Amino acid sequence: MSTPSVTPSESQSAPPASGAKPEILRRSEHTVEIVSDSGEGAQKCGQIFGAVSAKMGNGVWTVEIIPAEIQPPARSPAGASGNRIRIGTHTVTNWGDRANVVVAFNEQVLLARHRLEALAEDAIIFLEDMWEKHEDEQVRAEWQAALQELSRARYRIIRVPMEEICLTVVDEARKGKNMFVLGLLCTVFQRDMARVKAQIEHQFRTKSNEVRERNIALVELGVRWAEEHLPFRIEVPPTESDRPMVVMNGNEAVGMGAMAAGMDFMAMYPITPATSVSHYLAEAFHKMGGVVHQAEDEIAAAGCAIGASFAGKVAFTVTSGPGLALKTEFIGLATMTETPLVVVDVQRGGPSTGLPTKVEQADLLAALFGQPGDAPKVIIAPATIEECFHSMITARRIAEAFRCVVMVLTDANLATGVQPFPRPKLDPRWQVRQPDQRPVPKDTRPYEWDARSGLSRRFIPGQPEGMFVATGLSHDEASRVSYVAATNALGLKMRSRKMAVLSETLRPPEVRGDATGDLLVVGWGSTKGAIEEAVDRARAKGLKVSSTHLTFLAPMQPGLKEIFGRFRKVMTVEINHSDEPNDPFITKENRRLGQLCWLLRAHTLVDVDCWSRCYGEPLRPDHILGGIERMFTKGEKR
Amino acid sequence: MQSDDRVSRTLKELAGPISSFRSALASAVEDVRGILSTWRSAQSDSGEQRRAELGCFAAGRIDVERFATLLAVEEAVDAATVARLEGIFDLLSDLADQKDGVVRVKVEPGAVLRDAVAAALGRIGRAFGAARVVGLSRSHRYEDSLHQRFLREYPYALWSSSERQIAPPLVVEVAGQDLRAEGLAEFLDGRQKIVLVAQGKCPPAPLARLVSPGVFVVQAAEPVALAAFAAYQGPGIAALVPESAALFTHDPQAGARSWDRLKVARLPQEDAVIRLEGLSASWQRECLRQLQEIATAPPAPAPAAAGAASNGPAGAQVERLAAWLLKRADLQGL
């Protein structure tokens, strides 16, 4: 999608002439950002605006702008907290390039977004102006300097006395500006006010009536201010859908998917950005007979999930990068004991504690190779919030069918992003299969591997004739500890063989665009929407580019080498680190590549290149487009 | 025994917990319908079954036929299991169709109250027994000799803690002279509520011996007094009694001590108590005394003797230390 703009003009809002109808600016899509200090409620405002837009039938993708610290200093660029909401007439698959409309609660958080080039050249900015005449001289100076810096851009800045107006309703404006801004934005974008009020009722359902009424009063203030001062409205027409839609973020979708898959047990230890899966499940899981267990640490959480699964339950655990590192040993145990286990890793910036609230796709290799010894496992990566839901059903089935670990790699972008998607039609068959607990035929062994497939029947404790001692040590088919070389080799071979069997059932990935061309862009996970938008733009410019998006990363989907062979160049696009080819000391030999790029090169022996960024935010289509164009200008041939 | 309108009014007061159970029942009926339909379709089209099991995420990414062949998937469900599930579906549907009838019990005059309640809970428990048989069937652990009885009667003793949490209240009509409630103590667990509608003369404090810290116990004249009882998220027993009986409420949430929790609104004179069939007057009076005893706060401790308080600096220190320790242990009121 292109980036539409509103004609920039004066820096002060011109009140509409009495009785004059505001100008309607019709757009196929628009991106809104609301930024404030942490704790001022910009995120809540954005969530409500996004949810209302989705319920009205607009395509929506929201991304939370979260500072890395829980309570960063007020009025600091690093503390910018808020929400970006991209709304469109049709489906929106990513957060877009630059914001067209911005609401900033102070000039410092606005500056942060400006410096990140997050704003469109002609963005309309609603800026709280209380800082201009602030009693603190330093604040006034910062305001002046910031406006000076911002004046170099062509933004249309509209000053709004948010504090002053909100104080007519609340004693502490800091707690009310977000609702005022919601009213303002909903007027500009002509949102259905009945839905807005209903959404407020829902969002604040656990609060008192007084709180809800005050919030609605603040929204109405925002509406009135916008009606009196803004001579324009922005219209992003929604599309009627004949299917009922649901609106949620990726973590909620994972939790809901787990319930739909018939999972019984989730063990976790709180870690950003994965924790909200457990928050969601803690509210809902018990109603379906499920249990959420907050363990004492990450290792224990993995252990509890393995134990529950060993006992015949359908269990999973959720974590993020540093937690995945801690779970390493137990994931190895699940692999060795062939205990079905689903591990959801909501990736964030790393290494170590890294960037807890920011997105990266940097756990792929750790997920695949993190265990000492050979620990084959299945890795799948949902690309959308809808896939976060559905991937849990497939993950459960594969984990049980293959008695293996299935890792579902999502990321902070999916975890906190909100997108509407068709309401899943629940199918009882997703959860109908249970472990077979008939008496085990005499002399059947717990790891009686099928010589061809490596598969064996799963025993559940208490099953007649099914008693055995599970061990993480090398063992034979009867689960007896054995250090005999041939026994160890057989176990390794059988566990690996299962991956080959699964691989045999996979289908090659689809290619979006022409089947042949100059460049194939390969992605995985949450970047799908941005990559496809960038590739579409490149194709619109006449470039012969196609894309493919991998869902199964271990085992890899088949046919990749053949698909790659149809393109002059192949390039991965990822949110993880890769060395820039022209940086000091970087040579073709020592260049460190994107994680999927490493894997694809090893897997296909094709000279795959990569373009990756890890700014701590989702990729923007225009940045990817820049990467694609650069690949063309390099003019290298494989 | 004629039914009186207190029963229907009681059912109205208990509409919340009854409706929770009925919606759990309705949802169980739907679950079984879903499983049944799945098993039936699996018998006719196993490919579709496997495709569905893998979910939409697998569509276009996994070759389902190949997946099934390579995995040599588990055997299809046999006809006997499908037939059993059909029986369970009928049983659950029948329980659901009984509406309020499922929670009403009439005890024949002269019958043992405890046995009548146990039998009624056993009948209701068939819903839980049926769910358990479904689980056993799905995991191929079902054995006729062990599990078939769960569908005939599923006694309270077998109910799990979760099942006891969603147990429906029971409204029991019983002749006053048969109101021997002590035997019901074993059923007061989870969120189980029992309301005894006494008809005719009854002992003055038939529920006194059931008062315990976590159980909501009410003797009331009218169902309207049962609102807090119905809302309590724990076990409870209530009796609607005639004018000759005591009226009291023991609300576990009203305080830490028994006299905070127990409020007696009416206490008959002991000498008005007469022998009822099988219940001596002295036994009934003992129940009244117990009620009085636990509803009465013990007398405040006598103030320390003047000599002890002025027992020199060492005595004062001991006093202060004792007071501090009691305060730390939250016992300063003793």
Side-chain angles (χ1 to χ4, degrees), chain A residues 364-365 368-369 550 553 555-557 560-561 564 570 572 574 593-610:
Chain A
L364 176 56
L365 296 182
L368 187 52
F369 300 120
L550 303 184
L553 298 156
M556 284 269 183
Q557 285 165 268
L560 294 179
K561 187 165 185 162
F564 292 179
V570 179
T572 65
E574 307 177 59
L593 304 166
Q595 298 198 2
L596 178 62
C597 186
W598 284 119
L599 282 183
L600 291 177
R601 290 169 72 95
H603 187 75
T604 62
L605 296 180
V606 171
D607 185 16
V608 179
D609 205 338
C610 63

Side-chain angles (χ1 to χ4, degrees), chain A residues 178-204:
Chain A
N178 62 341
M179 291 296 111
F180 170 84
V181 165
L182 178 63
L184 185 160
L185 282 174
C186 288
T187 307
V188 170
F189 285 90
Q190 306 176 94
R191 304 290 86 180
D192 176 350
M193 291 312 292
R195 283 186 196 271
V196 174
K197 287 176 186 171
Q199 193 65 28
I200 289 173
E201 292 283 346
H202 173 73
Q203 289 270 352
F204 297 97

